[in-house]
Amino acid sequence: MTGAAKDYRHILEAHRLFGGLSRAELDRILGFARIESHRARETIFLKGSPGRGLLAVLEGRVQIRAPSLDGREVTLNIVDEGEVFGEIALLDGRDRSADAIAMTDCKLLIIDRREFVPFLKQNAEIALRLMEVLCDRLRRTTEQVEDLLFLNLSSRLAKKLLSLAADGDRQPKGVTLKHKLSQRELANLVGFTRESVNKQLAAWQKDHVISIVGGKITLLDETLLQGIAHTPV
């Protein structure tokens, strides 16, 4: 195990997929892991590229997105520090099902499938936890499809802002989202155009529902947004 990989043992210890493993088992995983660095906006992998294993975000943020043939895209997930992605390819070894793009400068821990699968076969508990992670992903995808079908722009945007604010900076005036997101990134998250999202954000700013300072969004009226988030089309 490299010294650099060993420094990130705490990332695995804190994740529910690996939490509970002994130090020796974690060190065994880290022994066949490697670390990669990516600059902001750099492609980590593309849909259709070989799926060689699991990735854990040690530092930074990663966007998981699905592109279309006409150049549009939808953001499926944003992966923050301490989270993992690439679980599907880890299990079936098939090509990647989406793009992964570095939203910021990133440092990733790469666990290759060919070395992890034998370890997985010897640890039924880890296999079960991996299934739970995949089930969570499936539930989230199902919810996204339902939102696309049953919620309008304002409802989808309110719901997404509330979700992003879950780990935000809570202050007396409201809760500020932890990370900056461009209007295009927000648009990709909710499946609408940047122009439509910009118009809705401007309207909420005017009504003091949110504020945007230095590119950071603060939710000033969470109760109102919660009501909007549950309003069907």
Side-chain angles (χ1 to χ4, degrees):
M1 174 175 53
T2 66
K6 184 177 180 179
D7 291 340
Y8 292 103
R9 186 191 289 116
H10 67 282
I11 294 287
L12 298 187
E13 290 175 334
H15 195 277
R16 67 172 181 170
L17 180 59
F18 301 103
L21 289 179
S22 68
R23 180 174 289 263
E25 289 171 323
L26 289 173
D27 286 349
R28 180 181 170 190
I29 292 174
L30 291 170
F32 49 72
R34 68 182 188 279
I35 293 176
E36 288 184 359
S37 295
H38 294 270
R39 303 292 293 176
R41 294 180 293 279
E42 185 179 348
T43 299
I44 298 169
F45 58 70
L46 293 173
K47 180 178 180 179
S49 61
R52 297 195 175 100
L54 184 75
L55 301 92
V57 181
L58 304 176
E59 298 174 10
R61 307 177 77 208
V62 174
Q63 176 193 33
I64 307 300
R65 69 185 189 191
S68 66
L69 294 177
D70 60 4
R72 293 179 298 167
E73 61 187 46
V74 61
T75 298
L76 302 175
N77 194 20
I78 293 178
V79 189
D80 285 307
E81 182 177 316
E83 299 179 340
V84 301
F85 62 102
E87 306 94 337
I88 295 176
L90 177 68
L91 285 179
D92 64 16
R94 298 173 64 180
D95 293 345
R96 298 293 186 186
S97 58
D99 296 347
I101 309 295
M103 296 183 71
T104 64
D105 290 350
C106 291
K107 188 170 290 186
L108 307 175
L109 183 74
I110 316 296
I111 302 175
D112 286 332
R113 181 178 187 272
R114 63 182 178 182
E115 294 169 313
F116 186 69
V117 168
F119 175 83
L120 196 63
K121 290 179 179 178
Q122 300 170 12
N123 291 268
E125 185 178 352
I126 299 299
L128 289 173
R129 290 182 194 170
L130 184 55
M131 289 174 62
E132 290 176 1
V133 171
L134 290 171
C135 286
D136 280 350
R137 293 278 193 267
L138 179 58
R139 288 180 186 275
R140 188 180 303 171
T141 300
T142 300
E143 184 177 1
Q144 285 180 309
V145 172
E146 290 176 346
D147 289 350
L148 290 171
L149 292 173
F150 302 128
L151 297 182
N152 57 22
L153 167 60
S154 59
S155 296
R156 279 190 240 170
L157 186 55
K159 186 174 181 180
K160 181 54 64 176
L161 289 177
L162 289 166
S163 174
L164 292 170
D167 62 347
D169 180 17
R170 189 166 295 277
Q171 304 170 3
K173 68 175 182 177
V175 55
T176 301
L177 270 58
K178 183 178 179 181
H179 301 287
K180 290 183 181 180
L181 285 172
S182 70
Q183 291 176 5
R184 182 171 298 282
E185 288 168 337
L186 274 175
N188 289 340
L189 280 168
V190 298
F192 274 93
T193 64
R194 183 188 63 79
E195 292 76 16
S196 297
V197 168
N198 177 47
K199 184 177 179 179
Q200 183 61 72
L201 292 175
W204 282 342
Q205 273 194 285
K206 182 179 179 181
D207 294 337
H208 304 290
V209 179
I210 67 170
S211 70
I212 304 177
V213 178
K216 279 205 167 186
I217 299 176
T218 297
L219 310 189
L220 304 176
D221 193 338
E222 289 182 82
T223 301
L224 179 59
L225 287 172
Q226 288 166 355
I228 295 172
H230 294 91
T231 301
V233 174

